[in-house]
Amino acid sequence: MGGVVRMLTVSFLLAFALPTLPAETPEEAAFRTDVAPLIATYCVKCHGADKPKAGLNLVKDADAASALRSRKAWGLVREAIETGTMPPDGKPKPPQAQADKAVAWLEAQLSKVDCKLQTDPGRVTLRRLNRAEYRNTVRDLVGVDYQPTEDFPSDDVGYGFDNIGDVLTLPPLLMERYLAAAEDISAKAIADDNPPRPMVKHITLDEKSGGAEYSKRFGRILASEGQVQVGFPFPLDGEYTIHLRAFGQQAGPEPVKMAIKLDDKVLKAFDVKSVESNVGSFDARVRVSKGTHLVSAAFLNDFYNAGEADPKRRDRNLVVLSMEVIGPLPVDGGKLPESHRKIVFKKPKGYGDTETWRAILHRLASRAYRRPATAEDVTRLLRLVELAKQDGERWEVGLRLAIQGILVSPHFLFRVELDRSSPGASQRIDDYELASRLSYFLWSSMPDDELFEAARTGGLRSPGTLEAQVARMLKNPRSRALTRNFAGQWLQIRKLRDVTPDKDLFPKFDPPLRDAMRRETELYFEEIVREDRSILDFLDSDFTYVNDRLAKHYGIAGGSGKDFRRVTLTDGRRGGLLTQASILTVTSNPTRTSPVKRGKWVLEQLLGTPPPPPPPNVPELQESKEALSGTLRQRMEQHRSNPSCASCHAKMDPLGFGLENFDAIGAWREKDGANAIDTSGVLPGGQTFDGPKGLRTILMGKRTEFTKCLTSKLLTYAIGRGLEDSDQCVVDRISESVAASGYRFSRLVIEIVMCDPFQKRRGKGGEPS
């Protein structure tokens, strides 16, 4: 075997003999003397030309120029040498001085070459609004809170986020859902302030209607507490009156009590003092959306006295003779829904009022398309209004058709950015496109009036304006979308809703605790955004948020009911994101903790150094009764004895073992069953720590890696595409600026908003210029 290594070494040295010619640069000479011998001696046995492990072939890169063309692969080589994970344990390792020289060359030259390249801002694929953006945009455009979660197919995820242009396709099923949603939204947004004469629809109460005893003489008799309910198809959105005729068979000290309900929600309650000889009428008025809803009459106070001599005074019952629905009712102009008044800022005088129609549609389309609507845009929408006129419909129907046309337009459903320069050339996006990038980044929604105005006047990029807008937007309640959509995916707490810990092993886990876990992390993230705290608080801090349920779970004294309060942490057990129950739970298995998942989470989400996928056919950790005799740590150490697994587990497992004081739902423990827990860890490179507090100290020492990781995550989310080699220089520059500002969150956001990948795009076609 030594002969093979010697032959490869000779081949490498022969390959590097050419750079002794006058054309050899200092960088090439350093590669030949400081990097190539190490690679030839310690790496090519596994990463040679014949079936290279992990697909990494280092033989083909026989000179500095070739190596630098494979910057991503050589970046992994640098990391492996620096951390000591390669060569793996049990294999000869290079002397530390030789390793340091190789790392220094790779670190300097890879970074230097990357940043010498002419800036390429990248190109974002035409982006469809995802479900969260669609809901928020509809809300801010027309004032209707439409929830597409159940109807729309889920959005695909790329690079960790569901707002990535490359994966946001438009399948036929989704287009069908958009069409149905547009009809529903337009009906909710625009009321008919002068509808046709209200209809009166009698609901038949026969033996087929459920909920009570049927009587041909009376209709429905409720002899005990309960309700008679019927599904009624409301033909239009609008206000309706539900009318009942009923009486009580009175008994006891109080009259019969009844409630009229819609979809099990009480609209109005009554004392029914009427009797059979004098039937009463009862009305409840309610605004209803189009579709079938349950109309109910509920009996609320049953009474029976077996000792009463008079049978007529022994039993209290409710008798419902008839139910009617009247509507839709005329709406007083002052009671028109806000959505209607928001859109119809000036009421047209019928179809012939073209000037008003154009004003309404131009304003609405400009906001929906997130740029000034053209005359052609408005004319196209007017044709839809004309269709309603030809069918003899009222003008409100024409406006609804126009709104439907807007909501299914590609200019609404997609965030359109136009190419304005030669193919492949870098170009600056216009102010309207920049306003949209900014608002969807921080609010997951369309720009508001202030952003639109700044774009219209061309002042959005003026000195200080963009930073002021960022500060304003981060303080706006809409920035909670950054918590739900960025933090929820970065920290993976969205997965919490699908986590199901074993009920027998963790009986304390229930929906209120699940909700409290999620809310703690959300409030924690929101404080760092709102108070512009240091991003290093994500790694360690002395505060968090708890309600009574979570405080009990954590062993924190002092209840606060369901409301959350900010608490100071004093025992050193918890601090930062990593020790919050939400994250500890989503990185566990249903029956036990998972040091592998927890360690992998730290590497991926906090340090930006994800391990490679596991090799195929690796057996699962044994969970049989016999296999559970030792501690989880002992079983895992046996499990990772496979040499192909050991190098990655050496990076992940110590991080996870440092969190073993927390069980699978994030509660503190001193033992794992009957076994004492060993939370000590040794990282590649020799760093040691013990327990969660020691792990947090280690992470705080890796603040540079964390800052770059968070910058990469947030930049990916902000621009809607995966990062490329040329983006690494941007990440490095942003990270340096954030560190210089005291790691303030706002500085991170501002630097992202000011960078070329956010403010520019590469034209279609050709290579980056």
Side-chain angles (χ1 to χ4, degrees):
M1 189 62 68
V4 173
V5 174
R6 283 194 296 274
M7 288 176 62
L8 286 168
T9 303
V10 170
S11 69
F12 263 80
L13 293 177
L14 287 174
F16 299 130
L18 289 176
T20 59
L21 295 173
E24 183 181 43
T25 65
E27 290 82 2
E28 290 170 334
F31 183 87
R32 175 170 54 82
T33 59
D34 295 341
V35 180
L38 183 150
I39 299 299
T41 304
Y42 299 100
C43 303
V44 297
K45 181 179 178 182
C46 295
H47 300 288
D50 185 22
K51 295 182 180 179
K53 290 188 176 181
L56 182 60
N57 181 353
L58 299 181
V59 171
K60 67 178 182 179
D61 294 321
D63 56 46
S66 299
L68 295 176
R69 282 195 295 270
S70 304
R71 290 187 298 275
K72 191 171 293 186
W74 280 83
L76 295 174
V77 172
R78 181 203 62 76
E79 180 190 338
I81 298 172
E82 182 177 30
T83 59
T85 55
M86 287 290 170
D89 291 340
K91 300 291 184 182
K93 292 182 179 288
Q96 190 61 47
Q98 185 181 18
D100 289 344
K101 284 185 177 181
V103 168
W105 186 93
L106 290 168
E107 192 169 62
Q109 297 305 315
L110 293 177
S111 174
K112 180 179 178 182
V113 171
D114 274 350
C115 297
K116 274 185 175 179
L117 294 174
Q118 190 166 350
T119 301
D120 171 22
R123 179 176 177 81
V124 181
T125 302
L126 183 70
R127 265 198 282 177
R128 172 178 61 79
L129 302 181
N130 65 21
R131 291 193 299 183
E133 293 168 340
Y134 180 91
R135 177 184 179 183
N136 294 342
T137 305
V138 167
R139 177 201 65 204
D140 295 338
L141 176 66
V142 298
V144 174
D145 187 10
Y146 182 82
Q147 302 189 36
T149 306
E150 295 181 1
D151 293 332
F152 288 16
S154 59
D155 297 311
D156 290 328
V157 174
Y159 305 98
F161 299 102
D162 63 3
N163 67 340
I164 303 300
D166 287 344
V167 300
L168 287 170
T169 57
L170 183 54
L173 175 61
L174 182 55
M175 195 65 235
E176 291 178 11
R177 295 291 188 266
Y178 280 145
L179 291 167
E183 184 176 352
D184 193 16
I185 293 165
S186 65
K188 286 181 168 65
I190 300 300
D192 194 338
D193 62 356
N194 188 21
R197 185 176 180 180
M199 66 166 192
V200 178
K201 179 68 175 178
H202 180 76
I203 299 178
T204 303
L205 299 178
D206 56 19
E207 63 272 13
K208 295 180 182 179
S209 56
E213 180 184 346
Y214 172 66
S215 166
K216 286 186 177 181
R217 176 183 172 190
F218 292 134
R220 308 301 300 183
I221 301 175
L222 289 156
S224 61
E225 289 186 2
Q227 60 188 19
V228 53
Q229 62 182 23
V230 179
F232 180 78
F234 289 83
L236 297 169
D237 285 9
E239 291 202 354
Y240 293 80
T241 293
I242 299 173
H243 175 75
L244 271 67
R245 292 179 64 250
F247 69 88
Q249 294 176 340
Q250 308 292 343
E254 60 183 13
V256 170
K257 294 184 181 295
M258 175 186 72
I260 297 177
K261 301 164 71 175
L262 184 75
D263 294 332
D264 213 32
K265 178 181 179 181
V266 174
L267 303 180
K268 197 171 182 181
F270 305 88
D271 285 347
V272 182
K273 298 179 180 179
S274 54
V275 294
E276 182 179 354
S277 60
N278 185 20
V279 175
S281 294
F282 305 90
D283 294 330
R285 182 162 173 160
V286 61
R287 183 166 185 82
V288 186
S289 60
K290 177 183 176 181
T292 299
H293 298 269
L294 287 177
V295 179
S296 310
F299 180 31
L300 305 177
N301 63 335
D302 187 31
F303 173 86
Y304 183 78
N305 182 5
E308 173 61 53
D310 184 353
K312 292 184 178 181
R313 304 178 65 181
R314 185 182 302 155
D315 189 12
R316 180 190 299 151
N317 302 309
L318 172 66
V319 180
V320 181
L321 281 78
S322 65
M323 298 174 67
E324 292 178 339
V325 173
I326 306 168
L329 304 171
V331 180
D332 178 16
K335 294 183 179 179
L336 287 168
E338 182 181 355
S339 59
H340 184 111
R341 288 181 276 118
K342 183 176 184 177
I343 296 169
V344 188
F345 59 90
K346 181 180 179 182
K347 183 177 177 180
K349 300 172 184 177
Y351 282 107
D353 191 356
T354 305
E355 181 180 348
T356 300
W357 276 108
R358 284 192 172 275
I360 291 172
L361 295 177
H362 182 272
R363 181 176 182 272
L364 184 61
S366 295
R367 298 181 69 246
Y369 301 161
R370 301 171 286 274
R371 45 88 175 157
T374 65
E376 184 180 353
D377 291 330
V378 176
T379 299
R380 188 179 297 115
L381 296 172
L382 280 171
R383 294 193 190 107
L384 295 174
V385 175
E386 185 67 22
L387 290 176
K389 177 184 177 182
Q390 293 172 4
D391 289 342
E393 299 283 3
R394 295 182 52 77
W395 68 266
E396 291 89 349
V397 176
L399 182 53
R400 289 174 185 152
L401 285 178
I403 292 173
Q404 291 171 37
I406 287 173
L407 294 179
V408 298
S409 168
H411 297 286
F412 172 76
L413 295 174
F414 290 85
R415 291 168 53 188
V416 179
E417 295 176 347
L418 301 178
D419 288 334
R420 300 179 177 85
S421 60
S422 57
S426 174
Q427 61 183 26
R428 195 167 76 166
I429 60 176
D430 72 20
D431 279 21
Y432 286 103
E433 293 164 351
L434 179 60
S436 284
R437 282 198 179 189
L438 185 57
S439 65
Y440 282 99
F441 171 28
L442 300 181
W443 291 348
S444 296
S445 186
M446 61 185 286
D448 64 357
D449 290 342
E450 187 168 333
L451 269 180
F452 273 130
E453 181 61 17
R456 186 189 67 81
T457 59
L460 188 54
R461 285 188 172 92
S462 61
T465 299
L466 206 50
E467 291 196 22
Q469 287 294 337
V470 168
R472 176 184 74 88
M473 295 174 72
L474 287 176
K475 291 184 180 299
N476 190 292
R478 294 185 195 180
S479 66
R480 290 173 186 156
L482 198 62
T483 302
R484 291 189 297 271
N485 301 321
F486 169 71
Q489 295 180 91
W490 166 43
L491 304 175
Q492 299 180 347
I493 58 174
R494 282 188 178 182
K495 296 180 179 179
L496 194 61
R497 62 194 173 201
D498 300 321
V499 167
T500 54
D502 187 281
K503 291 183 179 179
D504 294 329
L505 295 175
F506 304 101
K508 294 181 180 180
F509 186 85
D510 56 12
L513 181 58
R514 185 202 306 269
D515 293 342
M517 290 176 175
R518 174 188 52 80
R519 192 63 187 135
E520 174 196 17
T521 304
E522 290 177 345
L523 289 170
Y524 188 87
F525 184 89
E526 285 174 8
E527 170 162 337
I528 291 175
V529 174
R530 182 181 64 251
E531 302 298 328
D532 195 18
R533 297 181 64 94
S534 166
I535 62 172
L536 299 184
D537 282 345
F538 289 131
L539 299 179
D540 195 12
S541 70
D542 63 354
F543 73 93
T544 192
Y545 285 84
V546 295
N547 64 356
D548 197 32
R549 185 73 178 83
L550 193 60
K552 184 178 180 180
H553 186 62
Y554 284 174
I556 296 175
S560 61
K562 293 183 179 180
D563 295 331
F564 277 79
R565 71 187 191 279
R566 190 182 192 274
V567 294
T568 300
L569 303 170
T570 58
D571 60 9
R573 293 178 175 179
R574 299 183 191 268
L577 291 167
L578 191 54
T579 59
Q580 293 180 5
S582 61
I583 290 162
L584 293 165
T585 301
V586 299
T587 54
S588 294
N589 292 331
T591 58
R592 61 168 176 82
T593 61
S594 175
V596 173
K597 288 182 179 179
R598 288 176 175 177
K600 182 173 180 283
W601 189 94
V602 173
L603 293 175
E604 288 183 335
Q605 311 310 129
L606 299 184
L607 300 180
T609 55
N617 304 319
V618 176
E620 293 289 331
L621 188 67
Q622 292 295 317
E623 300 285 0
S624 65
K625 187 174 182 180
E626 294 77 13
L628 296 178
S629 57
T631 66
L632 177 61
R633 184 174 190 137
Q634 291 169 339
R635 288 182 284 136
M636 290 193 64
E637 286 172 349
Q638 294 174 356
H639 176 72
R640 71 175 194 233
S641 59
N642 184 336
S644 62
C645 303
S647 61
C648 291
H649 278 280
K651 296 169 64 177
M652 294 186 292
D653 293 2
L655 301 171
F657 288 137
L659 298 168
E660 274 295 278
N661 278 130
F662 301 105
D663 69 12
I665 59 172
W668 183 265
R669 62 181 182 172
E670 299 290 347
K671 292 186 175 182
D672 180 6
N675 302 304
I677 294 174
D678 179 5
T679 59
S680 63
V682 181
L683 298 176
Q687 281 183 299
T688 63
F689 67 93
D690 191 6
K693 186 173 183 179
L695 177 57
R696 298 198 303 273
T697 301
I698 290 286
L699 293 177
M700 286 293 283
K702 295 181 179 293
R703 59 189 63 192
T704 299
E705 293 92 327
F706 169 70
T707 303
K708 289 183 179 181
C709 176
L710 180 56
T711 299
S712 298
K713 301 282 186 185
L714 196 57
L715 180 59
T716 298
Y717 176 82
I719 62 180
R721 65 168 174 83
L723 301 190
E724 301 168 359
D725 286 342
S726 59
D727 295 313
Q728 190 55 52
C729 295
V730 176
V731 170
D732 291 345
R733 285 195 294 268
I734 292 174
S735 300
E736 290 169 5
S737 178
V738 170
S741 73
Y743 297 95
R744 295 299 167 191
F745 185 85
S746 66
R747 176 48 52 185
L748 173 58
V749 174
I750 289 169
E751 290 293 333
I752 287 175
V753 169
M754 299 296 290
C755 74
D756 279 355
F758 193 87
Q759 296 214 6
K760 296 179 180 179
R761 64 185 274 110
R762 184 174 71 241
K764 183 178 181 180
E767 295 297 323
S769 60

